[in-house]
Amino acid sequence: MNQPIPKTELPQIKHIIAVASGKGGVGKSTVASGLAVALARNGFKVGLVDADIYGPSIPRMFGIEDARPEVTTNGNTDLMFPIEKFGIQIMSIGFFVDKGQSLIWRGPMAANAITQLIENTNWNGIDYLVIDFPPGTGDIQLTILQKYNLTGAVVVTTPQEIALNDARKATAMLTNNDLKVPLLGIVENMAWFTPAPHPDEKYFIFGQGGGQTIADEFGTRLIGQIPLVMELGEAAEKGQTAFHVINHAVVSAFETMASAIAEQTA
Ligand SMILES: Nc1ncnc2c1ncn2[C@@H]1O[C@H](COP(=O)(O)OP(=O)(O)OP(=O)(O)O)[C@@H](O)[C@H]1O
Ligand SMILES: [Mg+2]
């Protein structure tokens, strides 16, 4: 990387937390949503940005696919009002494209779109802005990491060896000497399978101990282990979050995660 880019100040936002992963489909959006709700339930003012420009999933997960933000014009700039759901101020490119339509922007345009979503939104006094990253280490992630002062990042992985290797790469990028994003912790999603009729049983179908291994390697903490439960996937389809799932292990995983974040950023 060349010259450090001067950081853009966001006066309405106290803390920016990135939720990142190496591999796709490991549950970033699920974790970002649940974490946002958990922080809001603890009394914080929370914003959620869906930075997955090419595959936004936050509007569907919150049941607000048809929402369209109001826009006001202030001089030459348009200012968008976030959509509020479950007490969270939400912004996503999904609000501006029709369902099923895919974006074919090249890197710089996508990077431009994400900075507009973050900077041209009329955030209302946010304590935590949670950013749901796209998978991997591309232009969008780099733009956000270079442009804004992040309080820290959470890396989501599943226990399989291939996911762990990708999580290592993503974590290494975040913490490298150019970016130096503080790690707030590792979240292991789909840590075990719990069948609905037997909520106390745990089956480690994808292996065991992977999240802790990554945490140890990077000198950070394992701040959450979320079981694989059918209801969580089903809830997302219905526009509900982890807190609508009557599964104690899921709810308590998100509560622990939010406490770990609040504690480290107090
Ligand atoms: N612990 C879990 N139990 C059951 N289903 C889950 C769990 N975590 C995630 N899912 C489901 O798995 C799918 C992928 O999760 P999610 O969209 O959160 O992953 P992602 O990492 O954001 O994916 P992408 O890389 O595509 O953005 C979703 O359908 C989600 O509802
Ligand atoms: Mg996602």
Side-chain angles (χ1 to χ4, degrees):
M1 220 172 295
N2 324 322
Q3 295 287 327
I5 299 169
K7 303 280 183 186
T8 303
E9 299 297 328
L10 300 166
Q12 281 300 314
I13 298 166
K14 256 193 225 157
H15 295 292
I16 302 181
I17 313 280
V19 177
S21 80
K23 214 169 105 52
V26 297
K28 276 174 309 305
S29 302
T30 302
V31 169
S33 307
L35 175 61
V37 176
L39 287 166
R41 284 165 56 103
N42 285 348
F44 295 108
K45 289 192 95 173
V46 180
L48 177 59
V49 169
D50 184 355
D52 205 339
I53 297 286
Y54 297 106
S57 53
I58 294 295
R60 182 176 45 81
M61 287 184 164
F62 280 80
I64 47 177
E65 277 174 298
D66 297 325
R68 294 289 175 266
E70 277 180 44
V71 181
T72 58
T73 305
N74 181 6
N76 290 331
T77 42
D78 287 337
L79 206 53
M80 303 171 283
F81 288 83
I83 301 295
E84 288 236 14
K85 187 76 188 270
F86 307 137
I88 297 163
Q89 302 173 43
I90 303 172
M91 190 46 84
S92 169
I93 197 80
F95 297 144
F96 304 95
V97 295
D98 289 328
K99 228 184 262 181
Q101 186 190 328
S102 65
L103 288 171
I104 46 165
W105 293 340
R106 290 181 195 285
M109 266 179 83
N112 194 32
I114 188 63
T115 60
Q116 286 191 40
L117 285 187
I118 293 173
E119 293 173 30
N120 296 3
T121 294
N122 189 37
W123 303 110
N124 180 9
I126 302 272
D127 294 310
Y128 292 99
L129 186 75
V130 177
I131 304 187
D132 177 21
F133 268 30
T137 53
D139 275 343
I140 296 174
Q141 295 88 323
L142 206 57
T143 301
I144 297 171
L145 297 171
Q146 289 176 330
K147 260 195 127 198
Y148 310 108
N149 263 319
L150 269 72
T151 301
V154 172
V155 175
V156 184
T157 186
T158 53
Q160 299 98 319
E161 202 51 52
I162 179 159
L164 294 175
N165 280 330
D166 287 344
R168 268 186 195 99
K169 283 184 213 155
T171 312
M173 177 193 90
L174 290 162
T175 54
N176 76 22
N177 272 333
D178 291 314
L179 296 171
K180 291 198 185 88
V181 179
L183 275 184
L184 296 172
I186 306 294
V187 171
E188 190 182 61
N189 190 25
M190 312 190 193
W192 56 79
F193 172 66
T194 295
H198 305 280
D200 297 325
E201 292 175 9
K202 291 182 178 180
Y203 297 92
F204 295 91
I205 50 182
F206 298 136
Q208 204 176 344
Q212 186 65 56
T213 303
I214 300 276
D216 292 344
E217 280 175 25
F218 287 91
T220 185
R221 294 154 60 179
L222 181 64
I223 58 168
Q225 285 183 293
I226 305 164
L228 174 66
V229 289
M230 296 301 285
E231 308 149 85
L232 193 50
E234 288 162 6
E237 295 302 317
K238 290 189 289 193
Q240 298 182 336
T241 74
F243 285 87
H244 299 90
V245 172
I246 316 297
N247 180 301
H248 177 69
V250 170
V251 170
S252 91
F254 281 102
E255 281 169 349
T256 307
M257 203 186 302
S259 306
I261 303 270
E263 188 187 301
Q264 290 181 78
T265 55

